[in-house]
């Protein structure tokens, strides 16, 4: 069939391949459309793009139109089942091919686990056991580009302006869906070709309204936030389960208290202690945890949704819960003066603070008091605390003594807290105060978590460990080299313990230098994760550690509860048939067989939550500071790169970039080892840890980005932190002529404990 000469469209190429008698390559396509010279180069790029989009096979010598599932195509991960990603073809013609096949992806690279919403170029294979995919490479997410601000150009044409730093270009809007200029919207592709633009599917509204910041994070990170109807129905049915002391230990007369943030909605742990008459100087204690495993049964729709979410995600204005609200904020929440199902960890604490014995029971409790951290602390400080609170503090002092002997890693890392008023407006952003009341609860939780791990080990039962490995040699060498620029040493010939870092920090008197070394130590740490193989918990200086204390908001804890049910025969009577719920509450056999896959998946959801929470706090911080652009702030340099340096506002937080291009006409040499920018002529040095006044130049609430400038960069007063790095001229380091903002490598939170702090959660 004769064709018009000239560069073909995607549709024309697909039509040609579909009607071609033979498998055609680039040469045949170019010949069919009469392409020459630069047009052939453009064709090569177009074919590559089409292959990555899954429209055609990716072979260079011969292409074919995708029919059914192609051998190489783009898949979108829909969910994580038993630790394995399950995906569907991104470009699927439902009219021609019916329902898209579900393809199980087999990942080969450790540490490169996929999550829900990821796009992957994949080699597919139709096996006897169904479709299997072998990922070739992960592709950029389209989610970021599909949420943005509606703008109109001079000709009245609508465009979608991105809200992410990583997305540079606006997209044409083919269907504005009633959205107005300046509104934040969610969009989807209008067709396979990028030229088709996008269409608006949901209008979020005012992009600067605080509620929008968490919605942006939810969309960007693909966090499931709408419960399936089946999960909601099961949650409602579970609330009708009988709660009787006939098959539980009755602890309703024990004055157990739940100490939480003032604004907490889910209370999943409570504590009690009293002097032990059979253990001179020691205490008996109970850590009561919501018995979520009684309500969320293995294999149910509710369980599958909880596993998919992995954990609750906490934003300043909302919570995306792991469980429906009827469970997380009501039936499973340990509320004052109400009977609740609990898993009770009974501890005996010696006068030296050691836990000498432990046992686990299923119990029924009635919480004496839900009390805020601040109120509990005030009662203790005011010497008018009830006896049960006094006993808790006395028992805690024993645990604190044992903790000090264990010498876990002590990093005083400030945590930002966003406080909103009743209208959802930002009232204040401040560094959260750390009270003894927080430490009391944290140390009791750690004791219970250790007891859970050891109890399961004693029965050789499956354990979901919380693992924090010893820093790798590569990280330690990098830390040693960095400390060397400050005339400090780190001997690597000795056994590395948390105490080694603690002693190093204790010897530093200069607060700015101490903060800098503390951040460097944090960067040297490995990221904590969940796994069935025990490798200890370096940060807490513990040999065995599991998460047991927060099953409302962490799936890992729910698995530990189920393992305890099996190991210690704590099963409850089967539910009535009318409730249509699974009978067992222990660990399912298929979960035991695939614990590695499950723990890999929930480790990924935890990291997803951390990133979403951090992004949202950044946006709140930028919004809070947007009215103060032009003001100067006392800042501390937290990172240096060839293109500039990052600084944070002292006492408030808020990280921003000072581009090297804003430092004047002088050339600044980047010394990577010393983490410093050094003026070629003046010798002016900007190094990590330095304290200086900076002017806030930009605060973009949509992206969460801050930009600082050195006010009148000539003669700027810089307060060096401690000892100046021993910067050396290498003659090789250069800053790039184009100063584009990069991402500073922020250290990941070790997240040891998992204790809630206000609206957020601090995890260990």
């Amino acid at each position: 069939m004769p064709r018009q000469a000239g560069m073909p469209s995607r549709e024309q190429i697909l039509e040609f391949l579909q009607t071609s008698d033979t498998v055609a390559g680039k040469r045949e396509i170019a010949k069919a459309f009469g392409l020459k010279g630069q047009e052939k180069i453009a064709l090569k790029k177009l074919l590559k793009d089409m292959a990555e989009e899954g429209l055609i096979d990716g072979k260079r010598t011969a292409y074919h139109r995708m029919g059914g599932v192609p051998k190489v195509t783009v898949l979108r991960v829909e969910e994580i089942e038993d630790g394995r990603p399950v995906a569907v073809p991104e470009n699927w013609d439902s009219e021609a091919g019916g329902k898209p096949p579900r393809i199980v992806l087999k990942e080969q690279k450790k540490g490169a686990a996929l999550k829900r919403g990821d796009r992957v170029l994949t080699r597919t294979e139709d096996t006897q056991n169904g479709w299997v995919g072998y990922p070739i490479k992960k592709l950029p997410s389209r989610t970021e580009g599909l949420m943005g601000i509606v703008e109109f150009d001079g000709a009245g044409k609508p465009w979608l302006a991105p809200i992410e730093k990583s997305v540079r270009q606006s997209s044409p809007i083919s269907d504005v869906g009633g959205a107005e200029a300046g509104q934040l919207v969610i969009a989807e592709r209008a067709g396979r070709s990028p030229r088709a633009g996008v269409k608006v599917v949901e209008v979020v509204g005012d992009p600067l309204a605080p509620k929008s910041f968490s919605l942006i994070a939810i969309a960007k990170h693909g966090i499931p936030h709408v419960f399936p109807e089946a999960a909601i129905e099961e949650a409602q049915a579970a609330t009708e389960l009988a709660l009787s002391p006939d098959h539980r230990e009755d602890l309703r007369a024990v004055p157990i208290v739940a100490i939480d943030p003032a604004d907490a909605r889910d209370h999943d742990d409570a504590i009690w202690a009293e002097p032990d008459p059979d253990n001179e100087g020691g205490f008996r204690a109970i850590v009561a945890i919501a018995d979520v495993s009684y309500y969320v049964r293995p294999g149910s729709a509710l369980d599958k949704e909880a596993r998919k979410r992995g954990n609750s995600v906490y934003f300043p204005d909302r919570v995306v819960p792991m469980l429906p609200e009827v469970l997380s904020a009501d039936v499973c929440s340990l509320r004052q003066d109400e009977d609740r199902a609990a898993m009770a960890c009974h501890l005996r604490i010696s006068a030296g603070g050691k836990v000498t014995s432990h046992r686990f029971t299923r119990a029924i409790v009635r919480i004496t008091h839900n009390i805020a951290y601040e109120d509990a602390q005030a009662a203790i400080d005011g010497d008018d605390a009830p006896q049960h609170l006094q006993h808790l503090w006395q028992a805690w002092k024993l645990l604190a003594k044992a903790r000090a002997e264990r010498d876990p890693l002590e990093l005083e890392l400030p945590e930002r807290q966003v406080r909103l008023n009743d209208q959802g407006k930002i009232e204040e952003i401040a560094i959260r105060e750390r009270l003894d009341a927080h430490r009391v609860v944290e140390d009791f939780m750690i004791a219970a978590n250790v007891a859970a791990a050891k109890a399961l080990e004693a029965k050789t039962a499956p354990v979901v460990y919380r693992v924090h490995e010893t820093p790798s040699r590569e990280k330690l060498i990098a830390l040693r080299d960095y400390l060397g620029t400050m005339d400090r040493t780190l001997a690597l010939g000795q056994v590395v313990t948390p105490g080694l870092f603690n002693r190093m920090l204790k010897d530093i008197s200069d607060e700015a230098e101490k903060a800098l070394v503390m951040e460097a130590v944090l960067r040297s740490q490995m990221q904590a994760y969940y796994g069935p193989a025990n490798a200890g918990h370096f940060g807490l200086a513990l040999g065995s550690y599991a998460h047991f204390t927060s099953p409302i908001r962490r799936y890992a804890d729910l698995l530990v509860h189920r393992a305890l049910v099996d190991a210690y025969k704590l099963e409850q009577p089967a539910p009535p048939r009318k409730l249509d719920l699974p009978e067992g509450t222990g660990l399912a056999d298929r979960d035991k067989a695939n614990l590695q896959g499950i723990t890999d998946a929930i480790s990924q959801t935890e990291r997803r939550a951390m990133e979403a929470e951090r992004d949202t706090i950044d946006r709140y911080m930028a919004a809070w500071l947007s009215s103060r652009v032009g003001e100067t702030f006392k800042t501390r340099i937290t990172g240096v790169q060839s293109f500039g340096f990052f600084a944070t506002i002292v006492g408030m937080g808020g990280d921003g970039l000072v581009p090297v291009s804003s430092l004047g006409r002088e050339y600044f040499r980047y010394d990577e080892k010393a983490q410093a920018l050094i003026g070629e002529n003046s010798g002016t040095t900007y190094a990590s840890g330095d304290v200086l006044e900076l002017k806030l130049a930009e605060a973009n609430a949509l992206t969460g980005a801050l930009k600082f400038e050195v006010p009148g960069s000539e003669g700027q007063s810089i307060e060096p932190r401690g000892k100046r790095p021993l910067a050396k001229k290498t003659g090789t380091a250069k800053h790039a002529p184009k100063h584009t903002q990069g991402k500073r490598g922020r250290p990941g939170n070790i997240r040891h404990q998992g204790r809630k702090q206000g609206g957020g959660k601090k995890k260990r």
Side-chain angles (χ1 to χ4, degrees):
M1 181 182 354
R3 288 182 173 83
Q4 184 177 353
M7 190 67 189
S9 67
R10 279 172 163 76
E11 290 71 21
Q12 288 173 318
I13 292 174
L14 291 174
E15 181 186 4
F16 170 73
L17 294 176
Q18 193 173 34
T19 57
S20 176
D21 295 332
T22 61
V23 176
K26 181 167 68 72
R27 179 183 301 175
E28 288 76 18
I29 298 173
K31 184 178 180 180
F33 290 93
L35 305 182
K36 297 179 181 179
Q38 291 298 317
E39 289 179 329
K40 287 186 177 181
I41 297 175
L43 174 66
K44 181 178 179 181
K45 183 180 182 303
L46 176 59
L47 293 173
K48 181 181 178 182
D49 290 344
M50 292 177 68
E52 287 199 353
E53 291 174 28
L55 299 177
I56 61 174
D57 191 291
K59 296 177 183 178
R60 294 183 180 180
T61 55
Y63 297 92
H64 66 266
R65 171 72 186 272
M66 299 306 190
V69 180
K71 291 182 179 179
V72 177
T73 188
V74 177
L75 302 180
R76 186 184 69 255
V77 179
E78 279 209 329
E79 57 186 310
I80 308 296
E81 285 188 357
D82 299 331
R84 284 192 171 183
V86 178
V88 297
E90 184 173 61
N91 296 296
W92 181 261
D93 188 344
S94 57
E95 292 183 6
K99 189 176 180 181
R102 290 162 54 82
I103 303 172
V104 177
L105 299 182
K106 292 192 174 181
E107 299 178 86
Q108 298 173 345
K109 292 183 180 180
K110 186 173 178 60
L114 297 169
K115 62 181 184 299
R116 186 174 177 268
D118 281 348
R119 300 174 65 240
V120 195
L121 184 64
T122 310
R123 178 171 62 82
T124 62
E125 183 180 337
D126 190 6
T127 70
Q128 291 182 343
N129 297 321
W131 283 95
V132 175
Y134 302 91
I136 298 172
K137 69 175 180 178
K138 186 177 174 182
L139 301 175
S141 171
R142 286 183 171 178
T143 304
E144 296 175 0
L146 296 181
M147 193 172 195
I149 309 299
V150 175
E151 295 180 349
F152 290 86
D153 61 20
K157 184 179 179 180
W159 292 82
L160 185 70
I163 55 172
E164 284 301 314
K165 305 171 194 174
S166 58
V167 181
R168 302 297 183 189
Q169 296 182 333
S170 296
S171 300
I173 301 177
S174 62
D175 181 356
V176 79
E180 299 176 359
Q183 287 187 319
L184 176 67
V185 300
I186 297 174
E188 65 180 24
R189 299 289 176 192
R192 290 181 174 180
S193 170
R195 297 176 186 174
V198 300
K199 59 180 179 180
V200 174
V201 295
E202 181 181 342
V203 178
V204 178
D206 181 0
L208 295 179
K211 69 172 185 177
S212 299
F213 301 151
S214 54
L215 290 175
I216 291 170
I218 290 168
K220 173 187 173 182
H221 295 281
I223 296 171
H225 62 288
V226 177
F227 284 99
E229 194 62 38
I232 294 175
E233 290 175 359
E234 283 187 356
Q236 193 60 53
T239 64
E240 300 177 28
L241 285 168
L243 186 58
S244 166
D246 293 345
H247 301 280
R248 293 179 177 271
E249 183 180 19
D250 194 344
L251 298 176
R252 288 177 291 184
V254 179
I256 304 175
V257 296
I259 306 176
D260 288 291
D263 58 352
R265 297 178 63 193
D266 53 349
H267 309 278
D268 48 12
D269 55 70
I271 49 180
W272 166 87
E274 72 171 13
D276 187 353
D278 301 323
N279 177 16
E280 186 175 353
F283 278 78
R284 293 188 303 156
I286 296 174
V287 178
I289 307 299
D291 189 2
V292 176
S293 64
Y294 181 58
Y295 298 99
V296 181
R297 308 295 176 105
S300 64
L302 185 58
D303 179 51
K304 290 177 181 176
E305 183 65 19
R307 181 180 298 186
K308 180 192 299 183
R309 295 176 179 229
N311 44 256
S312 298
V313 187
Y314 292 82
F315 300 109
D317 65 318
R318 76 185 69 216
V319 177
V320 179
M322 185 180 79
L323 302 173
E325 192 168 338
V326 68
L327 294 180
S328 61
D330 187 6
V331 175
C332 291
S333 189
L334 303 181
R335 300 204 303 205
Q336 182 176 324
D337 297 330
E338 296 187 21
D339 289 357
R340 288 291 185 262
M343 187 77 79
C345 173
H346 298 257
L347 304 171
R348 296 193 74 177
I349 304 168
S350 72
K354 305 288 186 183
V355 175
T356 57
S357 69
H358 54 257
R359 66 184 178 90
F360 290 85
T361 64
R362 264 180 156 158
I364 181 170
V365 299
R366 185 176 295 160
I367 302 305
T368 300
H369 198 181
N370 287 119
I371 184 169
Y373 287 118
E374 294 79 7
D375 294 340
Q377 190 68 56
I380 291 293
D381 294 343
D383 291 327
D384 60 351
Q387 189 178 56
H388 56 261
L389 271 187
Q390 294 178 34
H391 285 163
L392 278 176
W393 255 252
Q394 292 163 9
W396 165 66
K397 288 177 180 177
L398 300 183
L399 292 174
K401 183 196 302 184
R403 180 187 179 115
E405 291 176 3
R406 206 173 68 239
D407 203 9
L409 190 60
E410 297 289 350
L411 298 178
E412 301 167 8
L413 301 170
E415 182 185 359
R416 290 177 291 174
Q417 180 182 18
V418 178
R419 296 192 181 99
L420 306 177
N421 60 22
D422 293 339
Q423 289 73 45
K425 301 291 184 182
I426 305 170
E427 195 170 75
E428 181 186 19
I429 297 180
I431 301 300
R432 193 184 303 278
E433 185 181 8
R434 178 86 165 143
L435 305 171
D436 278 348
H438 294 108
R439 297 182 179 92
V440 169
V441 176
E442 182 174 296
D443 281 337
F444 271 103
M445 297 304 114
I446 290 173
N449 287 336
V450 172
K454 290 185 174 180
L456 291 172
E457 289 173 344
K459 295 285 189 178
T460 62
V463 186
V464 173
Y465 289 101
R466 180 63 169 177
V467 180
H468 180 224
E469 297 182 44
T470 303
S472 67
R473 182 166 180 80
E474 292 76 16
K475 285 179 175 283
L476 291 172
I477 290 173
L479 177 62
R480 181 197 62 186
D481 292 346
Y482 178 68
L483 293 174
T485 68
M486 305 165 68
D487 277 345
R488 295 191 174 276
T489 59
L490 176 65
L492 299 183
Q494 58 188 310
V495 176
V496 177
T497 65
L500 173 68
F501 298 120
N502 292 338
R503 290 189 293 275
M504 179 197 305
L505 292 166
K506 190 176 181 181
D507 291 339
I508 302 174
S509 57
D510 182 87
E511 288 302 316
E513 184 178 357
K514 186 174 184 178
L516 184 68
V517 174
M518 199 176 296
E519 287 183 357
V521 169
L522 180 61
R523 283 194 296 272
S524 73
Q525 301 302 300
M526 305 296 283
Q527 189 167 40
Y529 62 90
Y530 295 108
N534 188 18
H537 198 297
F538 177 81
L540 290 175
L542 291 168
S544 297
Y545 194 64
H547 274 169
F548 160 79
T549 54
S550 296
I552 286 178
R553 59 188 178 89
R554 289 190 309 227
Y555 196 78
D557 302 52
L558 179 55
L559 292 172
V560 169
H561 279 232
R562 289 173 177 169
L564 287 167
V565 167
D566 287 339
Y568 288 89
K569 297 180 171 47
L570 301 178
E571 190 57 86
Q572 295 286 292
R577 288 178 178 271
K578 66 178 182 178
L579 294 183
D580 195 26
L581 294 172
E583 293 187 3
T585 60
L587 203 58
D589 289 340
R590 91 172 191 173
D591 290 349
K592 295 176 188 175
N594 189 34
L595 215 50
Q596 183 66 63
I598 297 170
T599 53
D600 285 348
I602 58 179
S603 294
Q604 284 293 320
T605 60
E606 179 191 41
R607 286 190 277 277
R608 177 181 68 187
M610 289 170 59
E611 292 171 5
E613 291 168 359
R614 187 182 65 198
D615 286 355
T616 303
I617 294 295
D618 285 348
R619 286 185 168 92
Y620 271 102
M621 176 61 73
W624 174 245
L625 291 171
S626 61
S627 63
R628 303 180 67 179
V629 170
E631 291 186 30
T632 57
F633 295 87
K634 184 178 182 180
T635 70
R636 182 168 57 84
I637 297 177
T638 55
V640 181
Q641 296 292 335
S642 61
F643 52 77
F645 61 85
F646 292 90
T648 187
I649 300 173
V650 174
M652 183 188 297
D655 296 314
L657 173 69
V658 179
V660 72
S661 57
S662 70
L663 298 179
R665 298 179 64 85
E666 183 178 11
Y667 176 82
F668 277 80
R669 177 172 53 84
Y670 172 51
D671 189 314
E672 184 176 5
K673 189 173 182 180
Q675 285 290 288
L677 285 170
I678 304 158
E680 194 75 10
N681 300 320
S682 66
T684 300
T685 301
Y686 298 100
S688 287
D690 287 349
V691 175
L692 71 164
E693 295 285 326
L694 291 177
K695 182 175 74 172
L696 181 62
E698 294 178 16
N700 189 331
L702 291 177
T703 64
L706 302 179
K707 184 179 177 182
F708 293 113
E709 291 178 352
V710 177
S713 56
E714 301 295 330
Q716 161 70 113
S717 173
I718 304 173
E719 178 187 328
R721 45 90 183 127
K723 298 179 181 178
R724 171 71 68 192
L726 303 177
K728 297 180 181 179
K729 277 194 177 184
T730 62
T732 57
K734 295 183 180 179
H735 64 255
K738 293 183 179 179
H739 308 297
T740 55
Q741 179 169 344
K743 290 187 178 179
R744 176 171 64 87
R746 305 189 205 182
N749 193 343
I750 297 171
R751 294 202 160 196
H752 304 304
Q753 155 57 22
R755 185 57 204 160
K756 40 186 176 284
Q757 306 278 334
K761 304 285 177 175
K762 189 172 184 178
K763 300 190 177 181
R764 289 196 178 257

